[in-house]
Amino acid sequence: MTPLKNDTFLRALARQPTPHTPIWLMRQAGRYLPEYNATRKRAGSFLGLAKNPDYATEVTLQPLERFALDAAILFSDILTVPDAMGLGLYFADGEGPRFHHPLRDERAIKALHVPDPHTELRYVMEAVSSIRRALDGRVPLIGFSGSPYTLACYMIEGGGSDDFRTVKTMLYSRPDLLHHLLRITAQAVIDYLNAQIIAGAQAVMIFDTWGGNLTSAGYAEFSLAYLQQVVAGLKREHNGERIPSIVFTKGGGGWLESMADLGCDALGIDWSTDLALARQRVGARVALQGNLDPAALFGSEATLRSEARRVLDAFGVGPGHVFNLGHGISQFTAPEQVAVLVDEVHTYSKRQRTS
Ligand code: CP3
C-alpha cells in the first residue's frame, strides 16, 4: 500500500505532535455539495449511492477535491447493519430513514442473527477497498458503525423519534429483551468494523448518536457497557499499522471520565461541552475530536473564523486534537463556508504552534 502523504489525523489520534490541527467534518460528503446531489440523482436514491461501490467512492472523494481535509470517511450509513439483519431499510422522501420490519415483539428479537459482513455487507467492504485505492495515500480513511444502543433505538422505533417512547418502554418493562438485542448488535458491530479494517479502514468511529437520551445509570448499563464490548473486540492492528478508534456519544458530556476508560483512542465531543474542561477531565488518556457548533457555518465569515479559533484555543496547545463539528454538517451549509473553516483551522493552528 502507498504510504500516507498526510498522516496528521492518525498522529493527532495517537496524541503525537502535528504541524497543524487536522480537520474533517461529520457528513462531509452530503447534500450541501451540489456534486453530491448530482451523483445521487444519477444513482436514483441515497441507498442506490451507498450500495454501489463506484458511486460510494465518487462521493467519498468529492469533499476532498474541494477542501484540504485531513481525513476521508467511508460513504455509507449506520443503518446498513440492521438492514443486513433483515429489517428492510428505506428512505421515505423528506422523512429520514425507516424500517419495513421494526422490532416490536420478543419473537422478532429472538430470531435476529449476526450478519456476516463479508457476504451480507459485502458492498460496504468493496466500497472501503475501492476508496482506499482511489485515495492512493492522500489522507487516511475512516470506517464507522453505529453504537449498539443507537442501532437498537432505530431498530425498535422503526426510524427516528422525538421521544424514543418505544425503546424506553422496553428498557423499563423488558430490560432483558433490550439486553439480548444489544448483545447481538454489539457482536454485529464488532464483526462489521473488523471487516472494514481488513478491507482497508485506517481508523474507526462509533456513532452513539442517541446515547445522550439515557439517564446516567441507563447510559452505563445500556450504552457504555456495549461500547466497551465493541472496543474490546476490535482489531488493534492491521498490516503492522495501529488502527485507532473514536467513540462519539452525542449528549455524552456528563460521562467523559467513564468514556475515557473504554480503551478507545479518542472521544468525539459535541458542541455543548467546553473542550478545555473536557481536556482537563480526561487528561492525556484519550485524544479529543470536535466540537464546533455546525450552525456556526451559517454565520458571517469573520464570526466563523473566530468561532473556529475559540475551539482551537479551548483545546489549547499540545497534541491530541482533531478538529470537527459537534455533529453532522447541515445540508443547508454553503460550501464556501467549509473552505473558510478549513483554512482558519490550518492557518491558526500552525500559528498556535509557533507562538
Ligand atoms: O460523514 C460522512 O460523510 C459519511 C457518511 C455518513 C452518512 N450517515 C451518510 C448519510 C455517516 C457517517 C452517517 C452516519 C449516520 N447515519 C448517523 C450517525 C451520525 C449522526 O448524524 O448522528 C445516523 C444517526 C444515521 C442515520 C441517518 N441516515 C439519518 C438520520 C439520515 C437522514 C439524515 C437527513 O439529514 O435527512 C440518514 C441519511 C443519510 N446518511 C444522508 C447521508 C449523506 C442523507 C441522505 C440523502 O442523500 O438523502
Side-chain angles (χ1 to χ4, degrees):
M1 274 288 180
T2 336
L4 273 171
K5 293 163 195 135
N6 173 354
D7 66 352
T8 50
F9 169 71
L10 295 178
R11 295 182 71 87
L13 289 180
R15 281 171 280 110
Q16 293 166 1
T18 52
H20 62 260
T21 301
I23 172 172
W24 71 278
L25 306 178
M26 290 189 262
R27 295 273 179 96
Q28 64 191 24
R31 284 170 295 185
Y32 75 104
L33 290 177
E35 57 271 35
Y36 170 86
N37 293 320
T39 311
R40 185 179 185 276
K41 206 166 179 181
R42 273 193 284 135
S45 65
F46 169 73
L47 282 178
L49 265 186
K51 292 195 172 180
N52 177 314
D54 293 332
Y55 284 138
T57 304
E58 185 178 317
V59 296
T60 299
L61 267 71
Q62 283 171 348
L64 303 171
E65 302 297 342
R66 270 190 190 248
F67 316 116
L69 296 160
D70 297 291
I73 181 161
L74 161 70
F75 188 82
S76 188
D77 199 81
I78 63 167
L79 302 178
T80 52
V81 169
D83 187 48
M85 290 166 108
L87 274 72
L89 176 62
Y90 70 99
F91 284 82
D93 249 352
E95 269 186 54
R98 304 213 60 82
F99 289 116
H100 287 295
H101 313 290
L103 302 175
R104 283 292 151 77
D105 53 37
E106 178 154 6
R107 207 170 50 93
I109 291 176
K110 290 284 166 68
L112 281 175
H113 74 291
V114 175
D116 175 1
H118 301 287
T119 55
E120 290 161 290
L121 290 156
R122 190 192 175 100
Y123 65 92
V124 177
M125 307 313 146
E126 287 175 355
V128 170
S129 13
S130 157
I131 296 163
R132 270 299 294 278
R133 276 194 304 276
L135 282 171
D136 194 30
R138 252 161 92 172
V139 291
L141 175 62
I142 306 166
F144 70 91
S145 169
S147 73
Y149 178 71
T150 291
L151 292 178
C153 284
Y154 280 104
M155 292 162 87
I156 295 167
E157 297 291 342
S161 170
D162 292 335
D163 58 4
F164 298 93
R165 191 152 40 92
T166 324
V167 64
K168 290 288 182 86
T169 301
M170 187 183 293
L171 187 154
Y172 288 113
S173 59
R174 288 294 308 273
D176 60 307
L177 211 49
L178 184 55
H179 276 300
H180 178 82
L181 171 59
L182 290 166
R183 261 194 306 279
I184 292 179
T185 309
Q187 190 56 54
V189 168
I190 292 170
D191 294 352
Y192 184 54
L193 287 174
N194 283 339
Q196 290 183 36
I197 291 169
I198 291 166
Q202 291 154 292
V204 292
M205 175 152 167
I206 303 163
F207 288 91
D208 187 25
T209 305
W210 298 124
N213 75 25
L214 292 161
T215 63
S216 287
Y219 180 71
E221 180 176 347
F222 295 98
S223 188
L224 192 70
Y226 294 94
L227 286 167
Q228 171 120 43
Q229 285 184 20
V230 170
V231 173
L234 290 180
K235 276 175 72 71
R236 285 310 169 111
E237 239 187 57
H238 184 61
N239 287 341
E241 309 281 356
R242 203 186 136 64
I243 310 294
S245 57
I246 308 163
V247 172
F248 172 54
T249 293
K250 183 157 183 283
W255 310 313
L256 297 180
E257 290 83 355
S258 44
M259 294 173 70
D261 286 334
L262 278 169
C264 58
D265 298 85
L267 299 181
I269 308 289
D270 69 35
W271 67 85
S272 65
T273 297
D274 181 323
L275 209 51
L277 290 177
R279 193 178 178 194
Q280 274 175 28
R281 285 164 55 197
V282 303
R285 283 183 290 168
V286 285
L288 296 178
Q289 176 175 283
N291 73 340
L292 184 76
D293 180 356
L297 288 154
F298 298 140
S300 68
E301 176 177 337
T303 315
L304 173 58
R305 287 188 186 273
S306 72
E307 290 298 324
R309 290 197 295 273
R310 192 204 295 278
V311 169
L312 290 164
D313 284 332
F315 185 87
V317 286
H321 183 207
V322 172
F323 197 102
N324 206 316
L325 305 178
H327 198 199
I329 190 168
S330 157
Q331 66 177 112
F332 304 109
T333 305
E336 304 72 49
Q337 290 284 80
V338 175
V340 168
L341 174 62
V342 173
D343 174 67
E344 188 62 34
V345 169
H346 283 165
T347 313
Y348 186 74
S349 65
K350 273 181 207 150
R351 216 182 315 147
Q352 273 182 314
R353 281 155 174 76
T354 55
S355 57

